[in-house]
Amino acid sequence: MLTNRQLQILKVIIDDFILTAQPVGSRYISKKESVDFSPATIRNEMADLEDMGFLEKTHSSSGRVPSEKGYRFYVDHLLSPSELSSKEKTIFEETFGKRVLEFEQVVEKSAGILSELTSYTSIILGPEVFENKLKQLQITPLTEEAAVAVLVTNTGHVEHRVFSVPVEIKPSDLEKMVNILNDRLQGIALIELPNRLNEEIFSLLREHAEHYNDAIKYLRSALVNDRPAKLYVGGKTNMLMQPEFRDIDKIRSIMSMIEDERDIAKLLKTNDRGIQTMIGHENPFNALQNCSIITANYYLGNQQVGTVALLGPTRMEYNRVVALVEELSKHMTKTFKEWY
Amino acid sequence: MLTNRQLQILKVIIDDFILTAQPVGSRYISKKESVDFSPATIRNEMADLEDMGFLEKTHSSSGRVPSEKGYRFYVDHLLSPSELSSKEKTIFEETFGKRVLEFEQVVEKSAGILSELTSYTSIILGPEVFENKLKQLQITPLTEEAAVAVLVTNTGHVEHRVFSVPVEIKPSDLEKMVNILNDRLQGIALIELPNRLNEEIFSLLREHAEHYNDAIKYLRSALVNDRPAKLYVGGKTNMLMQPEFRDIDKIRSIMSMIEDERDIAKLLKTNDRGIQTMIGHENPFNALQNCSIITANYYLGNQQVGTVALLGPTRMEYNRVVALVEELSKHMTKTFKEWY
DNA sequence: ATTTAGCACTCGGAGGATATGAGTGCTAAC
DNA sequence: GTTAGCACTCATATCCTCCGAGTGCTAAAT
């Protein structure tokens, strides 16, 4: 168990290190207004905190630096999430105040302001469209052999896919099929579409169209949706301004990781409510060992649709950042709610 | 006028510097098989080449480094574009051999292989959609107050836009309007749509729909297309591997520039045929002063639709790179042709 | 008239010595 | 339990020296 004094000293050290990125020494701490123990006392406490694993030294005679365990403790017990500044508040209000109709735009903008306000890199996992319900299907022939299928969902999301059509199938057949499909598939989740095509609709189509076998084969290819949720990233270059990433090789591995999207997307797909933090090695990726990630999901009703995340160095301004990520996710949830 | 010997020496120096990124000395050159002048002779020639502005020194007793003028001369007169290696050829064949139906995918893939093969950053300016002809318009009501307009063009490109609909307008009205519009606007270039809406169609709509005034106002907002051509970037992190960009600040300004897209898009919009090169200060942007850009347009018939570009350090492997960019642009042009 | 050998000179970079200062741990006194 | 005092450690900065790669110039060789 930590004494009050230890708590206080630990907090001061971490707060200060987050600000300056420099190891913190005992003399420096003792000069703070809020502190009036002598440097020697503080040194003793620091030695104890180090024994307990909350602090580290960069070399034998350096000041102390928080360990990952230290950050973890700080985030779990010492953090007092800051109020948003009035400037931050107005930015949120301006962004979410005006009515925007396209979800993409909201997310993109959100990623922008989050990275702007924090100077870290924001990553927003867009909504999965698999669960969206089909509102309308349209097939437009392009050439003799190709057509484009357009799927509009209840959320206003539009998917399209060009697919080949065997020449034997006449446009009029195609039209009939689309009518049937529209009739039968409305309100079905996108991910269900290929299945549905099998069961009931199969026989219906057979009655109305020639070459239904071919047709179904190709239609299915048009209806299969395997696109992963989109990632919206803001402030990629912010990472380059962090003193811990002066090293080109570190930056490169982080950048490649963000560029690649797949791992990141996997990492962010959590179902937990509220703010989540991953500090340093708590994430499995080598490239991100000096990073922390703050995430919060956003919802439509009770269903989670996506995730807001912020990537920065482990030495992150947790108090500000946590407040901002939380606020943003709330705003996004609210926006969703207003729409549907 | 340069003597043959000067040409030869200049070429050797630039070739070598491109390879090693190290200043080239006289002794080193004289040891090359293809050269048999003494170091002293070479030094004299180098001094002359420096006077003429083709070479530079990094400090008073260093070897020589090409100046921008040197690179320019090299590219214009000394370059023998290399044949593609068999490995490169097969990669191109594999990529463009199989039939892909979506243009986006082709471009994305292209950007990928170009950056892969060159280790630089590839940037492909996608086709402008303004000139595409409308194939089909569809409007799907989402809620009482919002609908999504989907535009399919002759190239299979799909645009969509959510717009608000005044409550007075009934879905049946909307449907009528869409029918009229589809009838009247088919084959019209996207960029023309808002204009066309004015002239002829105005009166037609008036006859068939109530509240046509409101309707037109909102419809226009749905048909206006102000989306710029998309930029496809591959190998952003490749820049981080160039020794001239070990400096974080340089990297940051380059990255921000690429991230921002607007300036780059403007820079790439040229109409010239064939391979274009911009070396160092030939481009107006501070961030790219140590970079060269190779571009080639790709075409549909005779009409230019987009641009392939490669961004690297001025010390670029021009001979390989020029061949690759050219080859890629040709493949893309060919793919286009096959489609339409 | 070129070309080349020779030599003095320049500069960057590597390596080593030294000083400085911020910081620690420990001990003994308060 | 707290603190003053002191010896000790290590990173960093500075200075010096040395080395080598490279040059420019001059005078000799072709």
Side-chain angles (χ1 to χ4, degrees), chain B residues 213-254:
Chain B
N213 267 334
D214 285 347
I216 284 183
K217 197 173 103 204
Y218 285 94
L219 269 178
R220 173 162 310 121
S221 78
L223 294 180
V224 165
N225 185 331
D226 47 5
R227 307 221 176 150
K230 208 176 152 191
L231 228 49
Y232 300 79
V233 183
K236 276 182 204 166
T237 52
N238 284 354
M239 277 297 183
L240 291 163
M241 301 200 286
Q242 298 302 328
E244 34 267 271
F245 301 131
R246 290 248 122 227
D247 177 31
I248 296 265
D249 294 327
K250 268 188 201 149
I251 277 291
R252 197 170 69 225
S253 53
I254 295 175

Side-chain angles (χ1 to χ4, degrees), chain A residues 134-145:
Chain A
L134 182 68
K135 193 97 189 181
Q136 185 156 17
L137 166 69
Q138 170 191 309
I139 293 183
T140 307
L142 290 174
T143 66
E144 295 250 302
E145 294 169 9

Side-chain angles (χ1 to χ4, degrees), chain A residues 102 136 138 140 161-162 248, chain B residues 102 136 138 140 161-162:
Chain A
E102 308 241 7
Q136 185 156 17
Q138 170 191 309
T140 307
R161 213 170 274 65
V162 180
I248 295 264
Chain B
E102 308 241 5
Q136 185 155 17
Q138 170 190 309
T140 308
R161 213 171 274 65
V162 180

Side-chain angles (χ1 to χ4, degrees), chain A residues 123 125-126 128 229 231 263-278 282-285 293-299 302-309 325:
Chain A
I123 305 175
L125 194 60
E128 297 274 8
L231 228 50
D263 286 335
I264 295 277
K266 233 177 279 170
L267 190 62
L268 298 191
K269 267 182 198 144
T270 58
N271 292 311
D272 310 298
R273 290 248 155 201
I275 293 279
Q276 304 293 317
T277 51
M278 306 187 76
E282 291 173 12
N283 83 67
F285 298 108
I293 302 167
I294 315 288
T295 65
N297 294 324
Y298 56 93
Y299 300 85
N302 251 332
Q303 198 197 345
Q304 180 209 325
V305 285
T307 306
V308 178
V325 169

Side-chain angles (χ1 to χ4, degrees), chain B residues 244-299:
Chain B
E244 34 267 271
F245 301 131
R246 290 248 122 227
D247 177 31
I248 296 265
D249 294 327
K250 268 188 201 149
I251 277 291
R252 197 170 69 225
S253 53
I254 295 175
M255 288 278 188
S256 320
M257 181 111 201
I258 297 176
E259 223 46 43
D260 197 27
E261 300 208 348
R262 283 169 304 185
D263 286 335
I264 296 276
K266 233 179 278 168
L267 189 62
L268 298 190
K269 267 185 197 140
T270 58
N271 292 312
D272 309 299
R273 289 249 156 199
I275 293 278
Q276 305 292 317
T277 51
M278 304 189 76
I279 295 170
H281 288 68
E282 291 172 13
N283 83 67
F285 298 108
N286 270 326
L288 305 183
Q289 302 284 282
N290 299 301
C291 298
S292 282
I293 303 167
I294 315 289
T295 65
N297 295 325
Y298 56 93
Y299 299 86

Side-chain angles (χ1 to χ4, degrees), chain B residues 6-262:
Chain B
Q6 285 172 328
L7 289 177
Q8 190 191 354
I9 289 174
L10 183 57
K11 184 159 189 314
V12 170
I13 292 177
I14 299 186
D15 279 337
D16 200 81
F17 183 72
I18 285 176
L19 225 65
T20 64
Q22 298 299 322
V24 185
S26 57
R27 210 173 110 80
Y28 182 85
I29 296 179
S30 78
K31 279 191 180 153
K32 291 234 158 187
E33 287 185 19
S34 56
V35 175
D36 46 293
F37 328 113
S38 74
T41 311
I42 293 169
R43 279 204 291 284
N44 289 332
E45 297 289 26
M46 291 204 295
D48 289 349
L49 287 166
E50 187 178 351
D51 287 344
M52 288 184 272
F54 294 114
L55 296 178
E56 283 169 357
K57 285 190 282 195
T58 60
H59 60 89
S60 72
S61 70
S62 78
R64 296 311 203 289
V65 156
S67 67
E68 286 183 12
K69 188 179 169 189
Y71 282 120
R72 171 48 65 202
F73 186 88
Y74 176 82
V75 168
D76 288 345
H77 302 110
L78 261 30
L79 205 60
S80 44
S82 66
E83 289 280 306
L84 299 200
S85 75
S86 64
K87 191 186 134 216
E88 290 164 346
K89 271 185 199 156
T90 53
I91 289 182
F92 273 116
E93 270 158 30
E94 272 171 25
T95 312
F96 288 95
K98 59 184 142 200
R99 201 139 180 267
V100 178
L101 288 159
E102 308 241 5
F103 185 73
E104 285 232 347
Q105 286 175 32
V106 176
V107 182
E108 219 170 284
K109 192 97 186 185
S110 297
I113 59 173
L114 186 57
S115 62
E116 192 87 13
L117 289 175
T118 59
S119 304
Y120 302 129
T121 300
S122 65
I123 305 174
I124 303 188
L125 195 59
E128 297 274 7
V129 293
F130 303 144
E131 296 298 331
N132 286 9
K133 311 274 192 286
L134 182 69
K135 193 100 190 182
Q136 185 155 17
L137 167 68
Q138 170 190 309
I139 292 182
T140 308
L142 289 174
T143 65
E144 295 250 300
E145 294 170 8
V148 52
V150 177
L151 295 88
V152 181
T153 75
N154 60 328
T155 62
H157 176 81
V158 174
E159 292 262 322
H160 74 276
R161 213 171 274 65
V162 180
F163 66 106
S164 35
V165 186
V167 275
E168 309 91 64
I169 297 186
K170 289 172 265 164
S172 63
D173 281 347
L174 217 49
E175 206 173 313
K176 270 190 220 156
M177 289 161 112
V178 171
N179 286 337
I180 295 173
L181 292 173
N182 258 318
D183 198 43
R184 288 312 176 110
L185 296 179
Q186 222 170 98
I188 305 298
L190 291 197
I191 196 166
E192 280 291 317
L193 289 183
N195 294 335
R196 288 305 182 103
L197 205 54
N198 257 341
E199 303 158 15
E200 2 170 10
I201 312 202
F202 193 70
S203 54
L204 245 178
L205 287 177
R206 186 195 317 236
E207 289 172 27
H208 290 83
E210 297 176 50
H211 306 289
Y212 59 89
N213 267 334
D214 285 347
I216 284 183
K217 197 173 103 204
Y218 285 94
L219 269 178
R220 173 162 310 121
S221 78
L223 294 180
V224 165
N225 185 331
D226 47 5
R227 307 221 176 150
K230 208 176 152 191
L231 228 49
Y232 300 79
V233 183
K236 276 182 204 166
T237 52
N238 284 354
M239 277 297 183
L240 291 163
M241 301 200 286
Q242 298 302 328
E244 34 267 271
F245 301 131
R246 290 248 122 227
D247 177 31
I248 296 265
D249 294 327
K250 268 188 201 149
I251 277 291
R252 197 170 69 225
S253 53
I254 295 175
M255 288 278 188
S256 320
M257 181 111 201
I258 297 176
E259 223 46 43
D260 197 27
E261 300 208 348
R262 283 169 304 185

